[in-house]
Amino acid sequence: MLSPLLGPATGRDPCKRYAEGARQRGETGLVIACIGAGKHSYNVFSGSVAPGIHLPGHHGQISANPLPAGVSPELTDGLDHAEHGLATRLLNHPPPHTWFRLTHHRARSSGPGVARVFPPPGEGELRPILVDGLGDPVAGVWMPTSGSARWFVVPHGTDQRLLVQWLVQHALPACVPGALTRARSSLVRDPALATDAEARLVETIAEEQRAHEQRQTELQQQLAALRAVADPLRDRLLFGTGHPLEDAVHDVLVAAGATVTRLDAVYGTDSADLLAEYSGRRVLVEVKSANSRPPQSLPGKLLKHLNTWPALPGTEPVDGGILVVNYQTKLPPAQRDTEVCTDRAFADALSLPVISSARLFDWWRREDWDAMRHAVFGDTGSAQPPEPKASGRPGLLSRLRR
C-alpha cells in the first residue's frame, strides 16, 4: 500500500481491509509511508515539527523534525536486499524538499485513577536504513513484533514512480512473493525451473554484487581513516585557539616536509611558539587567534620574539619569522575576511609575513606543499621535501627533538 501524502489512514476501511487480507493469507503487509507533508508546527523541545505518521493499533506514532539544508544521509549497516535497494535509490534521487529526523513515540495507556505509563518495549521498532550525521534515522522500516507488516517510512516528495518501481522489483519479490505469483508476474520465477544459462548468469550477478559490496566496504573504511586524520586538523586550524591551534600548525608544517620544534616547553612566553626548518632556512612561527578581527598589535609580538631570540640560551640564528592567525573564529570560514589584515596600508607596511591558519588548511587539504613552504620559508629553491636527517645541533634544541 502506498500513501503519498499524509501517511496511512490506519483507521479507514481500505487500510483495514488490506491488513486483514494480508493476515488471512499469512503474508507480510507492505506500506510505504511518506512523512512530513502538510503544515509544520513548533515546540520548545523539538523546534520545527512536520506532520508525522500514526501507527496502527496502540503502536504510537513516528514524528518528523526537518533537518537543515545540506544534510547528506548515509547508509546503515546490516540492510537486507530490499532495504538496501530503497536506501540507495533515496540517496541517488533525494527528495526535493528536505530530510527529516524520525522518532518513534510509543503509545501511552491510561485509565481513571491510573498514571500514564509507556507500554513495555518490544511492541515494534523503527530500524533506520538512512541516518544523519548523529546516527538518527531519516528513512527507516517500522515493524511490529508480530512481523505482520513492514512500514517503509520515506520523506515527503520522494519520486512516486521510483517507489513503485522499487516496490515491484525488490520489495514484493523479497517480502511478498505470493502477490506476484497470483498476478503471474515475470518477476517471480522458480529457481528449480531455470535453464543452466540462466542459473550461471544469476550466480555471476550475485558474485558481482558481493564484490561490489566488498569494494564499497573497503572504500568506506579508507574514507573513515582519512576523516579520522582530517577532522581534528580541520577543526583546530579553522576553529582552534591556544595549544590545539599550535599543534595543528606544527602538524601541517611537518606534513609539508619541515622540521618543527615546539619552543614553549623550554622558553615559555620568552620565545615564539615554533621553530620551523626547511632546506637550510630557519624561521620562528608565532601562532595567535582572535574571536573577531585580529588586532594590529599581533605582528609586534613576533617582532619582539625575533629581537629577543639571540639572547636565549642554546639558540642559533634564524632567517626570519612568520605570524599565523586564526581569526573571526565564531564565524563560518566562508564568512570570514579573506585577509588577516584588512587595512591595506598597514598590511603593505608589514616587514614580516602574516597568514591565516585557514590558508594553511587550504594548502594542506590540497597537498599544495610548494605553496605552503614558499609562504613560510620563502624561495628555498627546492620543490621536494628533503629526507629526514638526525640533527647534530648541541644544546636545548637538539634535546627538544628527542
Side-chain angles (χ1 to χ4, degrees):
M1 183 173 70
L2 178 63
S3 176
L5 296 177
L6 298 178
T10 55
R12 296 180 181 174
D13 289 340
C15 181
K16 290 181 178 179
R17 289 198 299 270
Y18 172 76
E20 180 61 21
R23 187 190 66 79
Q24 291 180 357
R25 291 189 296 270
E27 295 178 341
T28 300
L30 300 183
V31 179
I32 300 177
C34 297
I35 197 168
K39 184 179 179 180
H40 293 197
S41 60
Y42 183 86
N43 67 57
V44 295
F45 299 104
S46 303
S48 181
V49 181
I53 295 172
H54 291 278
L55 299 171
H58 300 286
H59 292 293
Q61 63 179 341
I62 296 174
S63 66
N65 292 80
L67 292 174
V71 170
S72 299
E74 298 180 352
L75 288 166
T76 55
D77 297 327
L79 301 180
D80 62 28
H81 180 69
E83 295 167 349
H84 187 275
L86 177 59
T88 54
R89 281 167 171 77
L90 291 173
L91 288 179
N92 294 332
H93 303 276
H97 306 298
T98 187
W99 294 100
F100 300 92
R101 178 177 292 120
L102 308 181
T103 305
H104 179 204
H105 303 278
R106 300 182 183 278
R108 295 203 271 183
S109 60
S110 62
V114 179
R116 285 186 168 186
V117 295
F118 284 101
E123 290 193 353
E125 63 170 337
L126 176 65
R127 294 195 300 104
I129 62 174
L130 290 176
V131 295
D132 61 13
L134 299 177
D136 294 319
V138 298
V141 184
W142 179 80
M143 295 188 296
T145 52
S146 63
S148 59
R150 298 181 77 178
W151 287 46
F152 296 91
V153 185
V154 300
H156 162 63
T158 301
D159 189 337
Q160 300 296 297
R161 291 171 299 180
L162 177 147
L163 293 174
V164 172
Q165 181 188 58
W166 165 80
L167 179 67
V168 174
Q169 295 181 355
H170 296 274
L172 288 176
C175 305
V176 198
L180 296 174
T181 301
R182 289 193 300 273
R184 300 182 63 84
S185 171
S186 61
L187 294 172
V188 175
R189 296 180 178 89
D190 188 345
L193 304 178
T195 65
D196 288 346
E198 288 176 312
R200 286 194 300 269
L201 191 53
V202 167
E203 180 57 29
T204 299
I205 293 173
E207 290 175 358
E208 292 285 345
Q209 180 68 25
R210 288 192 292 269
H212 170 74
E213 292 176 353
Q214 176 62 30
R215 178 59 176 160
Q216 189 176 52
T217 299
E218 293 172 356
L219 292 175
Q220 290 289 351
Q221 291 172 346
Q222 294 176 22
L223 179 60
L226 288 174
R227 286 176 172 169
V229 174
D231 284 345
L233 271 174
R234 187 168 24 238
D235 181 71
R236 293 190 300 232
L237 285 173
L238 298 179
F239 300 98
T241 62
H243 289 300
L245 177 60
E246 294 170 17
D247 291 341
V249 173
H250 170 281
D251 291 346
V252 296
L253 292 178
V254 170
T259 301
V260 187
T261 303
R262 292 181 172 90
L263 300 175
D264 286 350
V266 174
Y267 299 120
T269 58
D270 292 334
S271 75
D273 299 305
L274 305 169
L275 173 67
E277 303 174 66
Y278 179 82
S279 193
R281 294 184 63 83
R282 309 171 71 239
V283 298
L284 294 180
V285 182
E286 180 74 357
V287 182
K288 294 295 182 181
S289 63
N291 289 335
S292 55
R293 290 178 177 173
Q296 294 185 352
S297 60
L298 290 184
K301 299 181 183 297
L302 175 59
L303 288 172
K304 177 183 176 182
H305 291 317
L306 285 170
N307 291 332
T308 59
W309 176 256
L312 296 175
T315 62
E316 294 182 5
V318 295
D319 299 294
I322 185 169
L323 176 64
V324 178
V325 186
N326 188 21
Y327 57 96
Q328 295 175 318
T329 55
K330 293 185 178 181
L331 293 177
Q335 297 179 14
R336 300 176 189 176
D337 294 333
T338 55
E339 298 294 337
V340 179
C341 300
T342 55
D343 186 332
R344 192 70 265 163
F346 177 78
D348 292 340
L350 290 174
S351 58
L352 293 170
V354 178
I355 62 174
S356 68
S357 59
R359 184 70 60 84
L360 280 180
F361 166 74
D362 196 49
W363 289 325
W364 172 78
R365 73 180 180 88
R366 293 187 285 111
E367 299 184 6
D368 192 350
W369 311 124
D370 287 342
M372 186 185 299
R373 292 192 292 261
H374 187 271
V376 176
F377 300 100
D379 186 7
T380 61
S382 173
Q384 297 296 328
E387 291 294 325
K389 56 184 178 181
S391 171
R393 294 187 179 89
L396 293 174
L397 294 182
S398 62
R399 292 201 296 273
L400 275 172
R401 294 189 179 89
R402 296 176 186 173

